[in-house]
Amino acid sequence: MSEVVIGLDFGTTSVKAVAFDLKGNVVNETEQLIETYYPQASFVEQNPDEIEKSTRNVLKEIFTVTNKQNVLAVGISCAMHSLICVDDKGNALSDMAIWSDGRSSDLVEKLDPKIKKSVYSKTGTPIHPMSPLLKLMWMKENDYQAYQQATYFMSLKEYLIYKWTGKRVIDYSMASATGLMNVKSLDWEEEALALAGVERSQLSKIVPPTEIIDGLQSEIIDEVGWPEQTPFVIGAADGQLANLGNGAIKPGEVAVTVGTSGAIRQLISGQHVNDNGETFSYAFTKDTSIIGGPTNNGGIALQWLKDMMEYEGTHEQFLQGSEDVEIGSDGLLFVPYVNGERAPVWNQKARGNFYGLSVTHRRPQLVRAVLEGIVFNIYQIGQSLEEIAGKPTTISVNGGLTKSPLWVQILADVFGQEIQLAETHHAAAWGASWTALVAINRVESFEQIKDNIPIDQVIKPNLENHQKYNAIFAKYQQLAKDIEKYF
């Protein structure tokens, strides 16, 4: 059996362990779902100890079905913006507030615009409830008990590493996404720390994504069957690693990821924080960062429609008929802010909107309008990226919605460019795996991954449809702007 590398991927809905050969082909994969809790309005939490237990399970399974002697390393990918209050012994004092937690929405609205601009210009993280900075500010203002008792504040990745090794480390990208790190100095930002009411000593040491973590406890090694002497590499955040796993690592190469939520991103040299605050700038390595914009509303918008209509068939059946609807969904527009929104409006109180409904519209038109609305929103964010980095030269896409050929074709037609569709949906896990290979000097560079990505197919745009979509998008953009005042 050929050599393999394992990507440990913490997402919003599941934790996965994926074993790849060195060409990026999936050899084995295991997964366990993560339960999300909603203890009160706007609170969105997960239990970090439940996830830690699931992580042990998926690793034990992957090591059981994979020849351990062939495992070169394990790298980590993790969703951004999580926050856990932790005591001095590494125990969680709170459940984990995840990216979609909106408890600080009112605080965001009250915050002095000058402070918002100053902190954003230094950290590259938009002032939004997703940010651990805002979560900490809310905890401070509301005398949150776990905040008051905490010795440390951690993301999920830090928490797991601390429990397994006793090391308090965080990579550049995860630190950058907290809203507490200066994106230029790659150090904790004093202004943000003061707002959050935390000390440097309560935060972890910031390290590169190629940092090898030693000291794995014998209990973990024995329970999961960790191969002897196999390096454990810290990796990065899922956004940066999804770009890497798609090979979108040079100027002009854009990656789109759309699962439950979504994002459009581009890696650049150095940092760039734009004046209008529409995009993020998160560090990846010492010399590179990722710019882009996330949306709360990817596949969740389609799932919402399916649930709202009480449709009991499969997703494939739910989409049937929408491919026969004319582009523009027979005059129906959908602004997909059903889950609040990050880019481009950065307003957790944003709400979705169907415009143009008539008695002639049925399920296929509504379904297509939702698919088009998700793409229009990504395209709108992409235009903000173009202002910084120019028109994309290539666009790659991955994530759950790529299972819909219609949605991918709409994406190609709206952008008016070819779309590279990856063979695997595990781009972030492959990016984490490749980072681990760089860390152990098995490969020479991050860029070398471009020769090791299985491309499933290239979707060509219909340029006649692109021209039609240009006119429809102009209406969508105006509608999205007009309804902002009602949020």
Side-chain angles (χ1 to χ4, degrees), residues 171-196:
D171 64 86
Y172 293 146
S173 59
M174 293 294 290
S176 192
T178 65
L180 297 164
M181 191 191 85
N182 187 298
V183 75
K184 294 184 179 178
S185 69
L186 301 181
D187 195 7
W188 298 118
E189 169 55 45
E190 291 293 345
E191 183 179 7
L193 295 181
L195 287 170

Side-chain angles (χ1 to χ4, degrees), residues 45 57 207 258 307 420 436:
E45 299 178 342
N57 292 339
V207 299
V258 184
D307 292 343
Q420 295 181 358

Side-chain angles (χ1 to χ4, degrees), residues 404-426:
S404 165
L406 173 60
W407 183 83
V408 179
Q409 187 63 58
I410 292 171
L411 187 74
D413 291 350
V414 170
F415 276 82
Q417 291 183 245
E418 291 184 351
I419 302 296
Q420 295 181 358
L421 188 61
E423 189 174 289
T424 174
H425 300 298
H426 301 307

Side-chain angles (χ1 to χ4, degrees), residues 468-480:
K468 294 178 181 178
Y469 271 129
N470 280 341
I472 298 167
F473 174 72
K475 295 179 181 178
Y476 168 90
Q477 196 171 28
Q478 188 62 52
L479 175 63

Side-chain angles (χ1 to χ4, degrees), residues 19-177:
F20 298 91
D21 67 20
L22 301 196
K23 289 295 183 181
N25 299 300
V26 174
V27 177
N28 292 305
E29 58 181 290
T30 59
E31 178 178 19
Q32 283 202 359
L33 296 179
I34 296 172
E35 188 167 359
T36 301
Y37 303 97
Y38 305 88
Q40 54 183 289
S42 299
F43 284 45
V44 188
E45 299 178 342
Q46 294 173 345
N47 186 308
D49 292 320
E50 290 178 0
I51 299 173
E52 191 264 348
K53 182 179 179 181
S54 294
T55 305
R56 296 185 187 216
N57 292 339
V58 297
L59 284 174
K60 184 176 182 179
E61 290 176 24
I62 202 77
F63 289 140
T64 298
V65 298
T66 304
N67 189 330
K68 296 180 185 179
Q69 294 180 340
N70 294 325
V71 178
L72 296 174
V74 178
I76 312 173
S77 167
C78 189
M80 293 177 271
H81 311 303
S82 59
L83 179 67
I84 311 164
C85 300
V86 181
D87 69 14
D88 59 346
K89 294 181 175 60
N91 300 308
L93 298 172
S94 69
D95 273 347
M96 178 176 71
I98 67 172
W99 63 268
S100 53
D101 185 279
R103 70 187 71 182
S104 64
S105 294
D106 291 339
L107 179 60
V108 172
E109 292 182 3
K110 293 187 296 184
L111 198 59
D112 187 329
K114 291 182 180 179
I115 294 176
K116 289 183 181 180
K117 185 173 183 179
S118 175
V119 173
Y120 170 71
S121 69
K122 295 173 182 176
T123 66
T125 304
I127 304 301
H128 183 271
M130 70 175 184
S131 167
L133 166 61
L134 273 297
K135 294 177 172 73
L136 288 166
M137 290 174 65
W138 180 91
M139 291 178 180
K140 175 185 174 184
E141 186 172 286
N142 289 273
D143 296 324
Y144 189 63
Q145 185 176 5
Y147 168 88
Q148 295 172 332
Q149 296 175 344
T151 304
Y152 307 120
F153 300 101
M154 296 181 174
S155 67
L156 175 61
K157 185 196 288 192
E158 293 168 86
Y159 182 70
L160 183 137
I161 291 172
Y162 188 41
K163 288 189 79 73
W164 285 11
T165 70
K167 302 290 192 329
R168 290 196 301 118
V169 289
I170 184 171
D171 64 86
Y172 293 146
S173 59
M174 293 294 290
S176 192

